[in-house]
């Protein structure tokens, strides 16, 4: 059934406040801050579109660029995006990591509406395609203040398929200077198979820890993890319920 485009924040902002961090503040068309969250678009036509607004944090102008990662690629689909310029569609797998060739000179106290993500399902709309978009300062492309948003296309969730809600996800110490990280969590209900999944800044899965119950603590060893920014997702059946940003230093 065709519906109008809707936007749903699936990952909640937690005590650490991922939405308060980052080089830019990203909002959806309803004005909601979506930094560090998953936004989902439901399709009503052949090309799915998600448009987001961005606003520079701080009071110093910066050159801001966008990097796109294919997190969950779907075969036989195409995708493209706009930042500074709009690109032509490419087949999935052609640009697993796609950096805009044109940065935007962003000024404080100004809202920019020049970002859009596009996805052409080509008949594959029953499968979910996920992309991670990262806004970064060109002076520090992989800096810890980079902002990000995940966008899902296709694979809509039905009313009877909604998973449990995460009511707590916290990490300590964060940042971690080589120490193991304790992840405390609590769900309002438990579904077997729920897990905390750790991703690096490239969107690559580096660790999966199964949650044994509705609440508890998981210990994340960091001795084999390089320094950098990571994202701990609470997931069930491929759906992200919550995200927490972790920083590991050495």
């Amino acid at each position: 059934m065709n519906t109008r485009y809707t936007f749903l924040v699936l990952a909640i902002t937690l005590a650490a406040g991922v939405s308060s961090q980052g080089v830019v503040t990203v909002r959806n068309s309803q004005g909601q801050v979506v930094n560090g969250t998953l936004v989902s678009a439901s399709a009503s036509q052949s090309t799915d579109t998600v448009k987001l607004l961005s606003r520079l944090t701080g009071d110093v102008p910066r050159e801001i660029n966008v990097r796109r990662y294919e997190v969950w690629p779907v075969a036989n689909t195409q995708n493209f995006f706009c930042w500074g310029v709009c690109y032509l569609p490419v087949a999935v797998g052609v640009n697993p990591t796609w950096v805009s060739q044109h940065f935007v000179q962003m000024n404080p106290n100004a809202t920019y509406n020049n970002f859009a993500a596009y996805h052409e399902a080509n008949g594959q709309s029953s499968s979910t395609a996920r992309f991670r978009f990262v806004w970064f300062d060109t002076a520090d492309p992989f800096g810890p203040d980079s902002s990000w948003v995940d966008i899902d296309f296709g694979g809509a969730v039905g009313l009877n398929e909604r998973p449990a809600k995460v009511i707590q996800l916290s990490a300590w110490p964060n940042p971690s200077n080589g120490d193991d990280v304790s992840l405390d969590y609590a769900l309002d209900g438990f579904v077997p198979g729920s897990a905390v999944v750790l991703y690096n800044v490239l969107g690559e899965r580096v660790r999966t820890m199964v949650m044994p119950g509705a609440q508890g603590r998981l210990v994340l060893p960091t001795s084999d993890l390089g320094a950098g920014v990571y994202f701990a997702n609470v997931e069930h059946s491929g759906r992200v319920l919550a995200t927490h940003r972790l920083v590991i230093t050495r």
Side-chain angles (χ1 to χ4, degrees):
M1 179 178 64
N2 290 337
T3 60
R4 301 180 64 182
Y5 284 101
T6 58
F7 298 89
L8 175 64
V9 176
L10 298 180
I12 63 174
T13 301
L14 301 164
V18 293
S19 63
S20 64
Q21 304 177 19
V23 65
V24 299
T25 299
V26 186
R27 298 180 183 271
N28 62 17
S29 59
Q30 287 77 45
Q32 300 167 320
V33 176
V34 293
N35 287 53
T37 70
L38 174 63
V39 174
S40 182
S42 59
S44 62
Q45 50 188 316
S46 59
T47 300
D48 305 341
T49 307
V50 171
K51 295 183 177 181
L52 300 174
L53 305 175
S54 56
R55 189 179 182 92
L56 187 68
T57 58
D59 55 5
V60 177
R62 297 193 190 189
E63 295 178 355
I64 303 300
N65 208 352
V66 168
R67 185 187 307 114
R68 193 275 285 133
Y69 300 104
E70 292 179 345
V71 179
W72 293 349
V74 175
N76 303 317
T77 63
Q78 293 178 300
N79 65 89
F80 58 107
F81 68 98
C82 299
W83 179 256
V85 299
C86 289
Y87 296 95
L88 296 175
V90 298
V92 66
V94 172
N95 289 331
T97 301
W98 190 350
V99 180
S100 173
Q101 297 180 15
H102 300 80
F103 65 80
V104 173
Q105 179 71 44
M106 294 186 68
N107 297 311
N109 304 315
T111 298
Y112 294 77
N113 63 354
N114 55 351
F115 174 84
Y118 300 91
H119 182 257
E120 296 183 355
N122 297 331
Q124 310 298 317
S125 58
S126 60
S127 299
T128 299
R130 176 173 298 172
F131 304 90
R132 172 161 294 177
F133 292 87
V134 180
W135 286 255
F136 61 90
D137 189 336
T138 58
D140 189 10
F142 293 94
D145 65 342
S146 297
S147 304
W148 64 276
V149 173
D150 283 355
I151 299 178
D152 273 7
F153 296 96
V157 179
L159 292 177
N160 295 325
E161 299 174 305
R162 289 183 297 180
K165 179 181 177 181
V166 176
I167 57 178
Q168 179 194 358
L169 178 61
S170 60
W172 187 88
N174 188 21
S176 168
N177 186 17
D179 299 318
D180 292 348
V181 176
S182 295
L183 295 164
D184 292 327
Y185 67 89
L187 312 178
D188 69 350
F190 179 67
V191 179
S194 299
V196 173
V197 184
L198 188 71
Y199 296 87
N200 62 21
V201 74
L202 300 179
E204 299 169 333
R205 182 185 301 220
V206 296
R207 191 74 53 80
T208 299
M209 298 176 290
V210 176
M211 303 165 71
Q215 62 182 12
R217 172 176 295 175
L218 296 171
V219 176
L220 170 66
T222 65
S223 59
D224 60 340
L225 298 176
V229 176
Y230 294 84
F231 304 97
N233 291 353
V234 176
E235 298 185 6
H236 178 73
S237 298
R239 302 188 185 116
V240 177
L241 312 184
T243 298
H244 197 94
R245 183 175 184 270
L246 304 177
V247 177
I248 296 176
T249 60
R250 297 296 182 192

